[in-house]
Amino acid sequence: MRIISEILIWGDQNDSSVIDFFLEKNILGHFIQYMKQKAGRCINYLLSNNHTNTIIAHQFDFSDEEVMAYYISFLKALSLRLNSETIHFFFNEANPDCGLYVEALKFFSHPESMVRIAVRTITLNVYRVNSKEIINFVHRKTAVPYFANISWSIGTLALDINSLVCPNYNYKARSKLEDLVAENLDYLHYINDILSLEIDCLNDVLCDQLLHRLFIPLHVYSLSKRHAFQKTAKSVCY
C-alpha cells in the first residue's frame, strides 16, 4: 500500500498516465474487496506452507539497524496474531520447537531498548495463548536460561544504579540514572505480567531463578561483605 501510494504521488506530479491506469483498472475497487475479506482466511493463507517460519529463521544482517527494526516488528506483529488456532503455524509438534519464540529470545539483551521491549512483548503474547504444548516447550527448553538472564539483568541494573548514587551522587549522570531506573521498572512490570498469567510451571521457575540469582546473592548477601554479586551476566544458549 505504501509503495503504491508513492507511485501514485509520483505519477500525479510527473506522469498522468499512471493515474489513468489506476482509474482504468479500478485498483481502488480491488483494495476495497481485499479489505472486505475475512481477516482469518487471509492470515491462515499467509501463515500456511511454513513460509513464514522460513523467514523467521533466515539469518539476516542484523548489524543493519533498519533490518533489525523491520525484523523485530515483523515478529511482534506475528505474535499479536497468536491464538489457539494460529499457534500451530509456529509450533513444530513432531520436533518441539517454536521459531517465533526462540528467535525473539536471541535479542533479549540487544543494546536497543525498543528491541528488548519488543522481545518481552513477544514472549508475553506466546505465554498468553496458554497452549499446553507451547507451555511445556517453554518450560522444558527455555524457562530456566531465559528467567536466569532476566534475574542477572535486573541485578546488573541494580548495581549500575547503586554505582551512580553511592557514595557521591553525580548530577551530570542524572539522565543515565533515570534511564536505568525506567529499565528496572520495565523489568518489574514484565515479571508482574508473567506472574499474573498464573501459569504455575513458569511461575515456579521464575520465582526460583529470582530467589537464587537475584534476591539472595544481591539483596541478602549485600548485608555481608564476604559475598559479591557477579555483575557480568552469564551467556545462556537457548
Side-chain angles (χ1 to χ4, degrees):
M1 291 291 289
R2 179 177 61 83
I3 295 175
I4 292 177
S5 299
E6 292 175 352
I7 292 174
L8 287 175
I9 293 174
W10 181 89
D12 183 53
Q13 298 175 348
N14 300 276
D15 188 349
S16 61
S17 63
V18 174
I19 302 297
D20 293 338
F21 178 84
F22 183 85
L23 297 174
E24 179 183 350
K25 299 299 182 180
N26 192 27
I27 302 299
L28 185 59
H30 290 298
F31 286 156
I32 294 175
Q33 289 181 2
Y34 176 78
M35 293 170 63
K36 288 181 177 180
Q37 294 180 12
K38 292 184 178 180
R41 294 176 58 188
C42 296
I43 294 299
N44 290 342
Y45 174 76
L46 291 173
L47 299 180
S48 62
N49 299 320
N50 209 40
H51 296 316
T52 303
N53 287 318
T54 301
I55 297 174
I56 292 173
H58 184 76
Q59 297 301 308
F60 295 98
D61 179 12
F62 295 117
S63 62
D64 187 320
E65 294 182 0
E66 187 173 4
V67 172
M68 181 72 254
Y70 278 124
Y71 181 77
I72 201 65
S73 296
F74 174 63
L75 297 188
K76 182 179 177 181
L78 290 175
S79 74
L80 293 172
R81 291 289 184 176
L82 290 177
N83 54 47
S84 58
E85 296 181 357
T86 60
I87 190 64
H88 70 274
F89 289 117
F90 302 97
F91 184 67
N92 184 347
E93 295 183 5
N95 182 26
D97 186 32
C98 181
L100 173 62
Y101 180 76
V102 172
E103 294 300 321
L105 290 188
K106 294 179 180 179
F107 302 101
F108 168 77
S109 300
H110 194 275
E112 175 57 51
S113 63
M114 294 305 296
V115 174
R116 298 195 300 272
I117 292 172
V119 170
R120 295 197 285 267
T121 300
I122 292 168
T123 59
L124 285 174
N125 289 335
V126 171
Y127 302 156
R128 287 192 180 104
V129 177
N130 203 9
S131 163
K132 181 179 179 180
E133 292 77 12
I134 284 289
I135 296 303
N136 286 339
F137 166 75
V138 171
H139 179 241
R140 290 186 291 104
K141 298 292 186 179
T142 68
V144 171
Y146 179 53
F147 293 154
N149 266 342
I150 291 176
S151 302
W152 282 106
S153 297
I154 296 174
T156 300
L157 279 172
L159 292 177
D160 289 339
I161 292 172
N162 184 72
S163 67
L164 291 178
V165 298
C166 297
N168 297 314
Y169 176 67
N170 184 357
Y171 287 95
K172 294 181 180 179
R174 180 173 181 176
S175 177
K176 182 179 180 181
L177 178 61
E178 290 176 346
D179 291 340
L180 291 174
V181 171
E183 179 81 5
N184 190 62
L185 288 175
D186 284 342
Y187 273 118
L188 296 180
H189 287 305
Y190 177 55
I191 290 173
N192 180 68
D193 288 339
I194 296 176
L195 295 175
S196 297
L197 294 175
E198 298 182 348
I199 304 174
D200 293 339
C201 61
L202 296 187
N203 286 356
D204 289 343
V205 176
L206 176 57
C207 291
D208 181 73
Q209 293 300 312
L210 289 172
L211 178 64
H212 293 97
R213 295 182 182 273
L214 178 63
F215 297 138
I216 291 178
L218 182 62
H219 298 291
V220 176
Y221 286 169
S222 66
L223 302 176
S224 172
K225 294 183 178 180
R226 291 178 298 174
H227 301 278
F229 180 83
Q230 297 296 323
K231 181 177 179 180
T232 304
K234 294 182 179 179
S235 176
V236 179
C237 297
Y238 298 99

Short mmCIF file of all heavy atoms in Angstrom, two decimals, residues 109-165:
data_model
loop_
_atom_site.label_atom_id
_atom_site.label_comp_id
_atom_site.label_asym_id
_atom_site.label_seq_id
_atom_site.Cartn_x
_atom_site.Cartn_y
_atom_site.Cartn_z
N SER A 109 18.96 -9.31 25.04
CA SER A 109 19.94 -8.36 25.57
C SER A 109 20.42 -7.37 24.51
O SER A 109 21.52 -6.82 24.62
CB SER A 109 21.14 -9.12 26.15
OG SER A 109 20.74 -9.96 27.20
N HIS A 110 19.62 -7.15 23.49
CA HIS A 110 20.01 -6.23 22.42
C HIS A 110 20.24 -4.83 22.98
O HIS A 110 19.52 -4.39 23.89
CB HIS A 110 18.91 -6.19 21.36
CG HIS A 110 19.32 -5.55 20.07
ND1 HIS A 110 19.29 -4.18 19.87
CD2 HIS A 110 19.80 -6.08 18.92
CE1 HIS A 110 19.71 -3.91 18.66
NE2 HIS A 110 20.03 -5.04 18.05
N PRO A 111 21.25 -4.12 22.49
CA PRO A 111 21.55 -2.78 23.02
C PRO A 111 20.43 -1.76 22.81
O PRO A 111 20.35 -0.78 23.56
CB PRO A 111 22.83 -2.37 22.27
CG PRO A 111 22.86 -3.26 21.06
CD PRO A 111 22.24 -4.54 21.49
N GLU A 112 19.57 -1.98 21.82
CA GLU A 112 18.48 -1.04 21.57
C GLU A 112 17.29 -1.39 22.47
O GLU A 112 16.76 -2.50 22.44
CB GLU A 112 18.07 -1.10 20.10
CG GLU A 112 16.86 -0.26 19.74
CD GLU A 112 17.03 1.20 20.10
OE1 GLU A 112 18.06 1.79 19.73
OE2 GLU A 112 16.13 1.75 20.78
N SER A 113 16.85 -0.42 23.26
CA SER A 113 15.78 -0.67 24.23
C SER A 113 14.47 -1.08 23.57
O SER A 113 13.74 -1.93 24.10
CB SER A 113 15.55 0.57 25.10
OG SER A 113 15.12 1.67 24.31
N MET A 114 14.16 -0.51 22.41
CA MET A 114 12.91 -0.85 21.74
C MET A 114 12.89 -2.31 21.30
O MET A 114 11.83 -2.95 21.29
CB MET A 114 12.69 0.07 20.53
CG MET A 114 12.47 1.53 20.89
SD MET A 114 11.11 1.75 22.08
CE MET A 114 9.72 1.17 21.11
N VAL A 115 14.05 -2.85 20.96
CA VAL A 115 14.13 -4.26 20.59
C VAL A 115 13.89 -5.13 21.82
O VAL A 115 13.15 -6.12 21.77
CB VAL A 115 15.51 -4.59 19.96
CG1 VAL A 115 15.64 -6.09 19.72
CG2 VAL A 115 15.69 -3.82 18.66
N ARG A 116 14.50 -4.75 22.94
CA ARG A 116 14.31 -5.51 24.17
C ARG A 116 12.85 -5.50 24.61
O ARG A 116 12.31 -6.53 25.05
CB ARG A 116 15.20 -4.94 25.29
CG ARG A 116 16.69 -5.01 25.01
CD ARG A 116 17.50 -4.78 26.26
NE ARG A 116 17.26 -3.49 26.87
CZ ARG A 116 17.91 -2.37 26.56
NH1 ARG A 116 18.84 -2.40 25.61
NH2 ARG A 116 17.64 -1.23 27.17
N ILE A 117 12.21 -4.36 24.49
CA ILE A 117 10.79 -4.26 24.85
C ILE A 117 9.95 -5.13 23.94
O ILE A 117 9.01 -5.82 24.39
CB ILE A 117 10.32 -2.79 24.77
CG1 ILE A 117 11.01 -1.96 25.86
CG2 ILE A 117 8.81 -2.69 24.91
CD1 ILE A 117 10.75 -0.47 25.75
N ALA A 118 10.27 -5.14 22.65
CA ALA A 118 9.53 -5.97 21.70
C ALA A 118 9.67 -7.45 22.03
O ALA A 118 8.70 -8.21 21.94
CB ALA A 118 10.02 -5.70 20.27
N VAL A 119 10.86 -7.85 22.44
CA VAL A 119 11.09 -9.26 22.81
C VAL A 119 10.21 -9.63 24.00
O VAL A 119 9.58 -10.70 24.01
CB VAL A 119 12.58 -9.50 23.15
CG1 VAL A 119 12.77 -10.89 23.77
CG2 VAL A 119 13.43 -9.36 21.90
N ARG A 120 10.15 -8.77 24.98
CA ARG A 120 9.31 -9.06 26.15
C ARG A 120 7.83 -9.14 25.76
O ARG A 120 7.08 -9.98 26.27
CB ARG A 120 9.54 -8.00 27.24
CG ARG A 120 10.95 -8.02 27.81
CD ARG A 120 11.04 -7.28 29.12
NE ARG A 120 11.01 -5.85 28.98
CZ ARG A 120 12.10 -5.08 28.88
NH1 ARG A 120 13.30 -5.63 28.87
NH2 ARG A 120 11.99 -3.77 28.79
N THR A 121 7.42 -8.28 24.84
CA THR A 121 6.03 -8.31 24.37
C THR A 121 5.74 -9.62 23.64
O THR A 121 4.68 -10.23 23.84
CB THR A 121 5.77 -7.13 23.41
OG1 THR A 121 5.99 -5.89 24.11
CG2 THR A 121 4.33 -7.16 22.89
N ILE A 122 6.67 -10.06 22.82
CA ILE A 122 6.50 -11.31 22.07
C ILE A 122 6.36 -12.49 23.02
O ILE A 122 5.48 -13.34 22.86
CB ILE A 122 7.69 -11.52 21.11
CG1 ILE A 122 7.66 -10.47 20.00
CG2 ILE A 122 7.65 -12.93 20.50
CD1 ILE A 122 8.93 -10.41 19.17
N THR A 123 7.22 -12.54 24.03
CA THR A 123 7.16 -13.67 24.97
C THR A 123 5.82 -13.68 25.71
O THR A 123 5.22 -14.74 25.90
CB THR A 123 8.31 -13.60 25.99
OG1 THR A 123 8.25 -12.37 26.71
CG2 THR A 123 9.66 -13.69 25.29
N LEU A 124 5.35 -12.52 26.12
CA LEU A 124 4.06 -12.46 26.81
C LEU A 124 2.92 -12.92 25.91
O LEU A 124 2.01 -13.63 26.35
CB LEU A 124 3.79 -11.04 27.30
CG LEU A 124 4.59 -10.57 28.52
CD1 LEU A 124 4.32 -9.09 28.79
CD2 LEU A 124 4.23 -11.40 29.75
N ASN A 125 2.98 -12.54 24.64
CA ASN A 125 1.94 -12.96 23.70
C ASN A 125 1.95 -14.47 23.51
O ASN A 125 0.89 -15.09 23.33
CB ASN A 125 2.13 -12.25 22.36
CG ASN A 125 1.78 -10.78 22.43
OD1 ASN A 125 1.00 -10.36 23.28
ND2 ASN A 125 2.35 -9.99 21.53
N VAL A 126 3.13 -15.07 23.54
CA VAL A 126 3.23 -16.53 23.44
C VAL A 126 2.65 -17.18 24.69
O VAL A 126 1.87 -18.14 24.61
CB VAL A 126 4.69 -16.96 23.23
CG1 VAL A 126 4.83 -18.49 23.34
CG2 VAL A 126 5.20 -16.50 21.88
N TYR A 127 3.01 -16.66 25.85
CA TYR A 127 2.50 -17.24 27.10
C TYR A 127 0.98 -17.11 27.20
O TYR A 127 0.32 -18.02 27.72
CB TYR A 127 3.13 -16.53 28.31
CG TYR A 127 4.63 -16.58 28.38
CD1 TYR A 127 5.35 -15.62 29.08
CD2 TYR A 127 5.35 -17.59 27.74
CE1 TYR A 127 6.73 -15.66 29.15
CE2 TYR A 127 6.73 -17.63 27.79
CZ TYR A 127 7.42 -16.66 28.51
OH TYR A 127 8.79 -16.69 28.57
N ARG A 128 0.44 -16.01 26.71
CA ARG A 128 -1.00 -15.76 26.85
C ARG A 128 -1.84 -16.77 26.07
O ARG A 128 -3.00 -17.00 26.42
CB ARG A 128 -1.33 -14.34 26.39
CG ARG A 128 -0.88 -13.25 27.35
CD ARG A 128 -1.49 -11.91 27.00
NE ARG A 128 -1.06 -10.87 27.92
CZ ARG A 128 -0.14 -9.95 27.62
NH1 ARG A 128 0.43 -9.95 26.42
NH2 ARG A 128 0.21 -9.04 28.51
N VAL A 129 -1.29 -17.35 25.03
CA VAL A 129 -2.04 -18.36 24.28
C VAL A 129 -2.37 -19.53 25.20
O VAL A 129 -3.41 -20.17 25.08
CB VAL A 129 -1.23 -18.85 23.06
CG1 VAL A 129 -1.98 -19.96 22.33
CG2 VAL A 129 -0.96 -17.69 22.11
N ASN A 130 -1.44 -19.80 26.13
CA ASN A 130 -1.62 -20.85 27.14
C ASN A 130 -1.93 -22.20 26.50
O ASN A 130 -2.77 -22.96 26.97
CB ASN A 130 -2.73 -20.46 28.12
CG ASN A 130 -2.59 -21.19 29.45
OD1 ASN A 130 -1.58 -21.83 29.72
ND2 ASN A 130 -3.60 -21.09 30.29
N SER A 131 -1.22 -22.48 25.40
CA SER A 131 -1.32 -23.79 24.77
C SER A 131 -0.48 -24.77 25.58
O SER A 131 0.66 -24.48 25.93
CB SER A 131 -0.80 -23.71 23.33
OG SER A 131 -0.51 -24.99 22.81
N LYS A 132 -1.03 -25.92 25.86
CA LYS A 132 -0.33 -26.91 26.67
C LYS A 132 1.00 -27.29 26.04
O LYS A 132 2.02 -27.40 26.74
CB LYS A 132 -1.20 -28.16 26.85
CG LYS A 132 -0.56 -29.23 27.71
CD LYS A 132 -1.48 -30.43 27.87
CE LYS A 132 -0.83 -31.51 28.72
NZ LYS A 132 -1.73 -32.69 28.88
N GLU A 133 1.01 -27.49 24.72
CA GLU A 133 2.23 -27.89 24.03
C GLU A 133 3.29 -26.78 24.09
O GLU A 133 4.47 -27.05 24.34
CB GLU A 133 1.94 -28.23 22.56
CG GLU A 133 1.10 -29.49 22.36
CD GLU A 133 -0.37 -29.26 22.65
OE1 GLU A 133 -0.78 -28.08 22.79
OE2 GLU A 133 -1.12 -30.25 22.73
N ILE A 134 2.85 -25.55 23.86
CA ILE A 134 3.78 -24.42 23.89
C ILE A 134 4.35 -24.22 25.29
O ILE A 134 5.56 -24.03 25.48
CB ILE A 134 3.09 -23.13 23.41
CG1 ILE A 134 2.94 -23.14 21.90
CG2 ILE A 134 3.89 -21.90 23.83
CD1 ILE A 134 4.23 -22.98 21.14
N ILE A 135 3.49 -24.24 26.29
CA ILE A 135 3.94 -24.03 27.66
C ILE A 135 4.91 -25.13 28.09
O ILE A 135 5.92 -24.86 28.75
CB ILE A 135 2.74 -23.96 28.63
CG1 ILE A 135 1.87 -22.75 28.30
CG2 ILE A 135 3.23 -23.89 30.07
CD1 ILE A 135 2.59 -21.42 28.34
N ASN A 136 4.63 -26.36 27.69
CA ASN A 136 5.55 -27.46 28.01
C ASN A 136 6.91 -27.24 27.35
O ASN A 136 7.96 -27.49 27.96
CB ASN A 136 4.96 -28.80 27.55
CG ASN A 136 3.84 -29.28 28.45
OD1 ASN A 136 3.73 -28.86 29.60
ND2 ASN A 136 2.99 -30.16 27.93
N PHE A 137 6.89 -26.77 26.11
CA PHE A 137 8.14 -26.49 25.40
C PHE A 137 8.92 -25.39 26.10
O PHE A 137 10.12 -25.51 26.35
CB PHE A 137 7.84 -26.10 23.95
CG PHE A 137 9.01 -25.47 23.25
CD1 PHE A 137 10.07 -26.24 22.81
CD2 PHE A 137 9.05 -24.09 23.04
CE1 PHE A 137 11.17 -25.66 22.18
CE2 PHE A 137 10.13 -23.50 22.40
CZ PHE A 137 11.19 -24.29 21.97
N VAL A 138 8.23 -24.29 26.41
CA VAL A 138 8.88 -23.17 27.09
C VAL A 138 9.44 -23.61 28.43
O VAL A 138 10.58 -23.27 28.79
CB VAL A 138 7.88 -22.01 27.28
CG1 VAL A 138 8.49 -20.93 28.18
CG2 VAL A 138 7.48 -21.42 25.94
N HIS A 139 8.66 -24.39 29.16
CA HIS A 139 9.07 -24.83 30.50
C HIS A 139 10.29 -25.73 30.44
O HIS A 139 11.24 -25.58 31.22
CB HIS A 139 7.90 -25.56 31.17
CG HIS A 139 8.22 -26.09 32.53
ND1 HIS A 139 8.17 -27.43 32.84
CD2 HIS A 139 8.62 -25.46 33.66
CE1 HIS A 139 8.51 -27.61 34.10
NE2 HIS A 139 8.79 -26.42 34.63
N ARG A 140 10.30 -26.67 29.50
CA ARG A 140 11.38 -27.66 29.45
C ARG A 140 12.64 -27.14 28.76
O ARG A 140 13.75 -27.51 29.13
CB ARG A 140 10.90 -28.93 28.73
CG ARG A 140 9.89 -29.73 29.53
CD ARG A 140 9.53 -31.05 28.86
NE ARG A 140 8.77 -30.84 27.63
CZ ARG A 140 9.27 -30.96 26.41
NH1 ARG A 140 10.53 -31.27 26.25
NH2 ARG A 140 8.50 -30.77 25.36
N LYS A 141 12.47 -26.27 27.76
CA LYS A 141 13.61 -25.89 26.92
C LYS A 141 14.20 -24.51 27.22
O LYS A 141 15.41 -24.31 27.07
CB LYS A 141 13.19 -25.94 25.45
CG LYS A 141 12.76 -27.31 24.96
CD LYS A 141 13.93 -28.28 24.91
CE LYS A 141 13.50 -29.61 24.29
NZ LYS A 141 14.63 -30.57 24.20
N THR A 142 13.38 -23.56 27.60
CA THR A 142 13.89 -22.18 27.67
C THR A 142 13.66 -21.46 28.99
O THR A 142 14.28 -20.43 29.24
CB THR A 142 13.25 -21.32 26.56
OG1 THR A 142 11.86 -21.13 26.83
CG2 THR A 142 13.42 -21.97 25.19
N ALA A 143 12.77 -21.98 29.83
CA ALA A 143 12.38 -21.22 31.03
C ALA A 143 13.56 -20.92 31.94
O ALA A 143 13.76 -19.78 32.37
CB ALA A 143 11.29 -21.98 31.80
N VAL A 144 14.36 -21.94 32.26
CA VAL A 144 15.48 -21.73 33.19
C VAL A 144 16.51 -20.74 32.64
O VAL A 144 16.83 -19.75 33.31
CB VAL A 144 16.15 -23.08 33.55
CG1 VAL A 144 17.44 -22.83 34.34
CG2 VAL A 144 15.20 -23.93 34.37
N PRO A 145 17.05 -20.94 31.44
CA PRO A 145 18.05 -19.97 30.95
C PRO A 145 17.48 -18.57 30.74
O PRO A 145 18.15 -17.58 31.02
CB PRO A 145 18.54 -20.58 29.63
CG PRO A 145 17.47 -21.54 29.23
CD PRO A 145 16.89 -22.07 30.49
N TYR A 146 16.23 -18.50 30.25
CA TYR A 146 15.65 -17.18 29.99
C TYR A 146 15.37 -16.42 31.28
O TYR A 146 15.74 -15.25 31.42
CB TYR A 146 14.37 -17.33 29.18
CG TYR A 146 13.70 -16.00 28.89
CD1 TYR A 146 14.41 -14.96 28.31
CD2 TYR A 146 12.35 -15.79 29.21
CE1 TYR A 146 13.80 -13.73 28.04
CE2 TYR A 146 11.74 -14.57 28.94
CZ TYR A 146 12.47 -13.55 28.37
OH TYR A 146 11.88 -12.34 28.12
N PHE A 147 14.75 -17.08 32.24
CA PHE A 147 14.45 -16.41 33.51
C PHE A 147 15.73 -16.14 34.30
O PHE A 147 15.78 -15.19 35.09
CB PHE A 147 13.47 -17.24 34.32
CG PHE A 147 12.09 -17.32 33.70
CD1 PHE A 147 11.25 -18.40 33.96
CD2 PHE A 147 11.63 -16.33 32.86
CE1 PHE A 147 9.98 -18.48 33.39
CE2 PHE A 147 10.37 -16.38 32.28
CZ PHE A 147 9.55 -17.47 32.54
N ALA A 148 16.75 -16.96 34.10
CA ALA A 148 18.04 -16.69 34.72
C ALA A 148 18.63 -15.39 34.17
O ALA A 148 19.16 -14.56 34.91
CB ALA A 148 19.00 -17.85 34.48
N ASN A 149 18.51 -15.20 32.86
CA ASN A 149 19.00 -13.97 32.24
C ASN A 149 18.24 -12.75 32.74
O ASN A 149 18.82 -11.67 32.91
CB ASN A 149 18.88 -14.07 30.72
CG ASN A 149 20.16 -14.56 30.07
OD1 ASN A 149 21.23 -14.52 30.67
ND2 ASN A 149 20.06 -15.05 28.85
N ILE A 150 16.94 -12.90 32.94
CA ILE A 150 16.16 -11.80 33.49
C ILE A 150 16.69 -11.42 34.87
O ILE A 150 16.88 -10.24 35.18
CB ILE A 150 14.66 -12.19 33.58
CG1 ILE A 150 14.05 -12.32 32.19
CG2 ILE A 150 13.89 -11.14 34.39
CD1 ILE A 150 12.61 -12.78 32.20
N SER A 151 16.94 -12.42 35.70
CA SER A 151 17.44 -12.18 37.05
C SER A 151 18.79 -11.48 37.03
O SER A 151 19.03 -10.52 37.77
CB SER A 151 17.54 -13.50 37.82
OG SER A 151 16.28 -14.15 37.86
N TRP A 152 19.69 -11.97 36.17
CA TRP A 152 21.01 -11.35 36.07
C TRP A 152 20.91 -9.91 35.56
O TRP A 152 21.63 -9.02 36.03
CB TRP A 152 21.90 -12.16 35.13
CG TRP A 152 22.47 -13.41 35.74
CD1 TRP A 152 22.09 -14.69 35.50
CD2 TRP A 152 23.51 -13.49 36.72
NE1 TRP A 152 22.82 -15.56 36.26
CE2 TRP A 152 23.71 -14.85 37.01
CE3 TRP A 152 24.30 -12.54 37.36
CZ2 TRP A 152 24.66 -15.30 37.93
CZ3 TRP A 152 25.25 -12.98 38.28
CH2 TRP A 152 25.43 -14.33 38.55
N SER A 153 20.03 -9.67 34.62
CA SER A 153 19.89 -8.33 34.06
C SER A 153 19.38 -7.34 35.10
O SER A 153 19.86 -6.21 35.19
CB SER A 153 18.92 -8.36 32.86
OG SER A 153 19.44 -9.16 31.82
N ILE A 154 18.41 -7.78 35.90
CA ILE A 154 17.89 -6.91 36.96
C ILE A 154 18.97 -6.63 37.99
O ILE A 154 19.13 -5.50 38.47
CB ILE A 154 16.65 -7.54 37.63
CG1 ILE A 154 15.51 -7.67 36.62
CG2 ILE A 154 16.20 -6.71 38.83
CD1 ILE A 154 14.30 -8.41 37.16
N GLY A 155 19.74 -7.67 38.33
CA GLY A 155 20.83 -7.49 39.28
C GLY A 155 21.88 -6.52 38.78
O GLY A 155 22.39 -5.67 39.52
N THR A 156 22.21 -6.64 37.50
CA THR A 156 23.20 -5.74 36.90
C THR A 156 22.70 -4.30 36.91
O THR A 156 23.45 -3.37 37.19
CB THR A 156 23.51 -6.18 35.46
OG1 THR A 156 24.04 -7.51 35.47
CG2 THR A 156 24.52 -5.25 34.81
N LEU A 157 21.42 -4.13 36.60
CA LEU A 157 20.83 -2.78 36.64
C LEU A 157 20.90 -2.20 38.05
O LEU A 157 21.21 -1.02 38.24
CB LEU A 157 19.37 -2.84 36.18
CG LEU A 157 19.11 -2.86 34.68
CD1 LEU A 157 17.63 -3.12 34.40
CD2 LEU A 157 19.55 -1.56 34.03
N ALA A 158 20.62 -3.03 39.05
CA ALA A 158 20.65 -2.57 40.44
C ALA A 158 22.05 -2.10 40.81
O ALA A 158 22.22 -1.06 41.48
CB ALA A 158 20.20 -3.69 41.37
N LEU A 159 23.07 -2.84 40.37
CA LEU A 159 24.45 -2.45 40.67
C LEU A 159 24.83 -1.16 39.94
O LEU A 159 25.54 -0.31 40.49
CB LEU A 159 25.40 -3.58 40.29
CG LEU A 159 25.31 -4.85 41.13
CD1 LEU A 159 26.26 -5.91 40.60
CD2 LEU A 159 25.60 -4.56 42.60
N ASP A 160 24.36 -1.03 38.70
CA ASP A 160 24.65 0.19 37.95
C ASP A 160 23.99 1.41 38.60
O ASP A 160 24.59 2.49 38.67
CB ASP A 160 24.16 0.05 36.51
CG ASP A 160 25.00 -0.93 35.70
OD1 ASP A 160 26.16 -1.18 36.10
OD2 ASP A 160 24.51 -1.43 34.67
N ILE A 161 22.76 1.22 39.06
CA ILE A 161 22.06 2.31 39.75
C ILE A 161 22.79 2.67 41.04
O ILE A 161 23.00 3.85 41.36
CB ILE A 161 20.60 1.91 40.06
CG1 ILE A 161 19.81 1.79 38.75
CG2 ILE A 161 19.94 2.93 40.99
CD1 ILE A 161 18.42 1.21 38.93
N ASN A 162 23.21 1.65 41.76
CA ASN A 162 23.92 1.88 43.02
C ASN A 162 25.23 2.62 42.81
O ASN A 162 25.61 3.50 43.60
CB ASN A 162 24.19 0.53 43.70
CG ASN A 162 24.84 0.70 45.06
OD1 ASN A 162 24.22 1.13 46.02
ND2 ASN A 162 26.13 0.34 45.15
N SER A 163 25.92 2.30 41.71
CA SER A 163 27.21 2.95 41.44
C SER A 163 27.06 4.43 41.12
O SER A 163 27.99 5.21 41.29
CB SER A 163 27.91 2.24 40.27
OG SER A 163 27.20 2.43 39.06
N LEU A 164 25.86 4.82 40.66
CA LEU A 164 25.63 6.22 40.32
C LEU A 164 25.20 7.06 41.52
O LEU A 164 25.38 8.28 41.53
CB LEU A 164 24.56 6.32 39.22
CG LEU A 164 24.96 5.82 37.83
CD1 LEU A 164 23.78 5.94 36.87
CD2 LEU A 164 26.15 6.60 37.29
N VAL A 165 24.62 6.42 42.51
CA VAL A 165 24.11 7.18 43.66
C VAL A 165 24.99 7.05 44.90
O VAL A 165 24.83 7.81 45.85
CB VAL A 165 22.67 6.74 44.01
CG1 VAL A 165 21.74 7.03 42.86
CG2 VAL A 165 22.62 5.27 44.39
#
